[in-house]
Amino acid sequence: MHKILEFQAVVLAAGRGSRLPDVGGTFSKCLLPIGPYPLLWYSLNMLEKVGFQETMVLVLDDDKSSILSALEKCPLKIKYELIVIPSEEDWGTANSLKHISSRVTTDLVVVSGDLISNINLNDVLNLYRKHDAVLASLFFNNGPEEWIELPGLKTKAKPDRDLVCLDKETERLCCLASASDFEENVTLPRLLLKKFNTLSMYSRLLDAHVYIMKHWVVNYLVDMDKFTSIKGELIPHLVKKQLSKPKNALEKKGMSEKNMDINKDIFDYALGNGYEKQIREMSAYNDHKLGNKGVYSGDILRCYAHIPDKNTFGMRINTLSAFYLSNNKILSKWEEITGLPLNEKIHPNSEVKTKQIDENTTVGEKSILSEKTSIKCTFIGSNCTIENKVRLTNCILMNNVTIKEGCVLQDCILYTGATVDTNCALHYCIVGPHHVVPPTTKGNHQLLAETTDNMITLG
């Protein structure tokens, strides 16, 4: 495997899962169990597969010890350094990137800690390298979202959508905006239509939140001090600036009280040694097939987007439906996604007495499954106890869960420390952490919890 040394990698894993209200208030989303491992492991494994030797991982101060403990139990060769950001601060992703700016010495690969995919990141890296881009990003075109009946209270919430405009011939990312910014009509700058012949507009792409960017972008981010979000503010700004040209000497004038150039703009950061431009002028290469516009249309800033074919698996676990659906799919696509065999679906330190357990079930360490139980398509965490005459189908059990005798659970999610007392029948229910469901409870699409505030505890 080729070692990647020209880029630094950073994984953003300090999110609290604001789009997962049914999963419970504020929590460290990166520790959600997806199959046998926590969500964060899949992003680290993806970087490791492509040749990264080390990465920075941004986490909240309060979560550092629990994340370290979880990752120590996972198969990883990549070296990861957990860099904490203050838990009490309401930082956006751009603020987090500014926090590590002094440690960024090369071009940067930014990966979201909630991504699961079988993508070969070399496809995105090579797009960036080929065009000496300022930015290369990744989108998935998975087609219509799969409908799946979810546990918990029914909701009619609609997902946020992006409007993504690409030139198919060159893979240039020409426009990026939130669909909510437009009421009826979408207006594109006339200059875009003049520059590009094959513009396509998408409204159902999934933004993977994978960005490869120039080192100077981080310096620009720090000096401008006006961006809080990478996805919502910095990336659209870079994409929009492609249509601009550097100011001339007469336009650039004025100093601040601190003797800082107030007219310094993005092109002052982007200008290199000029050799790249000379090479392009001497070369026969052109990014347009007809070659009548000049290479890159003379643009100094160039942003690109890679959209793999529809057979590529890609999910971001930022909603309850994505969390639930990913657990339904993960074992069937395990080697394709991770590149690893799953040799131990049942932890050797667990005690599984039942023979009625299918191959789509995993069991964590020190869990006890009694003899007279039936377990199908279920993920069981550590230190769980499943008593006799229990049937579990399509369920997710986190750590320290107890299911007492005679219970039947289907399509349920049970959080850390939850207890379901005897002879309960639950369908499509969510049981909050440390909540005790009384005996003989019957529930369908219910949220059973002490409170919806700070509901989840992962341990």
Side-chain angles (χ1 to χ4, degrees), residues 277-326:
K277 182 179 179 182
Q278 294 179 34
I279 291 170
R280 285 196 294 270
E281 290 173 348
M282 296 169 63
S283 170
Y285 173 78
N286 199 306
D287 59 329
H288 294 276
K289 291 180 181 177
L290 298 179
N292 60 343
K293 295 181 182 178
V295 63
Y296 302 123
S297 302
D299 294 336
I300 295 175
L301 305 180
R302 298 178 297 278
C303 300
Y304 291 84
H306 177 63
I307 304 177
D309 63 60
K310 290 186 176 182
N311 293 325
T312 303
F313 181 86
M315 293 185 72
R316 286 191 58 233
I317 315 305
N318 59 350
T319 63
L320 180 62
S321 59
F323 171 53
Y324 195 61
L325 188 60
S326 62

Side-chain angles (χ1 to χ4, degrees), residues 18-277:
S18 60
R19 297 181 184 179
L20 285 157
D22 287 336
V23 179
T26 58
F27 67 97
S28 182
K29 179 175 62 173
C30 69
L31 289 179
L32 279 174
I34 307 296
Y37 300 124
L39 174 56
L40 176 58
W41 177 82
Y42 293 88
S43 296
L44 297 175
N45 173 258
M46 180 178 66
L47 289 171
E48 181 181 299
K49 281 196 306 177
V50 81
F52 281 92
Q53 304 294 297
E54 58 185 25
T55 183
M56 294 175 280
V57 183
L58 289 175
V59 301
L60 290 177
D61 194 7
D62 289 348
D63 298 331
K64 181 178 179 180
S65 60
S66 56
I67 290 173
L68 272 176
S69 177
L71 291 180
E72 284 173 356
K73 301 173 184 177
C74 300
L76 279 173
K77 294 180 181 178
I78 188 172
K79 295 179 181 178
Y80 51 87
E81 180 185 2
L82 301 192
I83 300 174
V84 300
I85 64 175
S87 298
E88 66 276 5
E89 298 287 346
D90 186 20
W91 282 5
T93 49
N95 299 115
S96 299
L97 207 54
K98 286 189 282 187
H99 182 61
I100 61 165
S101 59
S102 62
R103 308 181 63 151
V104 178
T105 57
T106 68
D107 291 354
L108 193 64
V109 178
V110 181
V111 177
S112 174
D114 64 5
L115 176 65
I116 299 179
S117 177
N118 62 353
I119 184 73
N120 183 345
L121 274 185
N122 274 319
D123 295 339
V124 192
L125 296 174
N126 288 337
L127 177 64
Y128 175 89
R129 292 169 174 135
K130 176 181 177 181
H131 299 292
D132 190 29
V134 63
L135 171 77
S137 54
L138 173 65
F139 293 86
F140 296 110
N141 188 9
N142 296 331
E145 295 177 354
E146 291 188 51
W147 183 90
I148 184 170
E149 190 171 0
L150 299 175
L153 304 175
K154 294 185 177 181
T155 177
K156 295 182 179 179
K158 294 183 179 179
D160 296 333
R161 297 194 184 280
D162 296 315
L163 291 179
V164 182
C165 185
L166 267 71
D167 178 48
K168 281 198 168 183
E169 184 179 348
T170 62
E171 293 188 273
R172 282 283 291 273
L173 177 58
C174 303
C175 182
L176 177 64
S178 171
S180 60
D181 293 341
F182 303 92
E183 294 183 0
E184 293 183 1
N185 300 321
V186 178
T187 303
L188 295 177
R190 186 176 299 176
L191 184 57
L192 278 182
L193 303 178
K194 289 183 177 180
K195 276 190 175 184
F196 303 106
N197 298 320
T198 56
L199 287 178
S200 297
M201 180 73 78
Y202 300 88
S203 63
R204 291 183 177 271
L205 295 180
L206 174 65
D207 189 335
H209 286 218
V210 171
Y211 309 113
I212 296 95
M213 61 181 66
K214 290 288 190 189
H215 177 207
W216 64 256
V217 172
V218 179
N219 298 332
Y220 176 71
L221 175 68
V222 172
D223 290 350
M224 292 299 103
D225 196 27
K226 63 179 181 179
F227 304 105
T228 59
S229 166
I230 296 175
K231 161 64 192 302
E233 296 173 9
L234 177 62
I235 303 303
H237 177 76
L238 294 175
V239 172
K240 186 177 180 179
K241 281 293 185 178
Q242 292 178 106
L243 301 180
S244 303
K245 297 294 182 185
K247 296 177 182 178
N248 59 41
L250 292 176
E251 293 173 317
K252 295 180 66 174
K253 59 183 179 180
M255 306 294 286
S256 70
E257 293 180 358
K258 296 182 179 180
N259 207 34
M260 296 291 291
D261 186 354
I262 59 176
N263 284 304
K264 190 175 183 181
D265 64 15
I266 193 169
F267 295 100
D268 293 300
Y269 295 83
L271 292 175
N273 53 31
Y275 292 138
E276 295 89 349
K277 182 179 179 182

Side-chain angles (χ1 to χ4, degrees), residues 371-420:
E371 185 175 1
K372 297 178 180 179
T373 57
S374 174
I375 317 292
K376 296 180 180 178
C377 301
T378 292
F379 298 95
I380 300 173
S382 302
N383 301 299
C384 294
T385 300
I386 314 297
E387 295 186 356
N388 284 320
K389 300 180 181 178
V390 168
R391 282 187 290 151
L392 302 177
T393 306
N394 293 331
C395 293
I396 301 171
L397 280 61
M398 298 192 190
N399 299 337
N400 304 302
V401 171
T402 299
I403 311 293
K404 294 194 175 181
E405 187 170 327
C407 291
V408 178
L409 278 66
Q410 179 180 333
D411 293 281
C412 293
I413 300 174
L414 293 88
Y415 292 111
T416 298
T419 297
V420 182

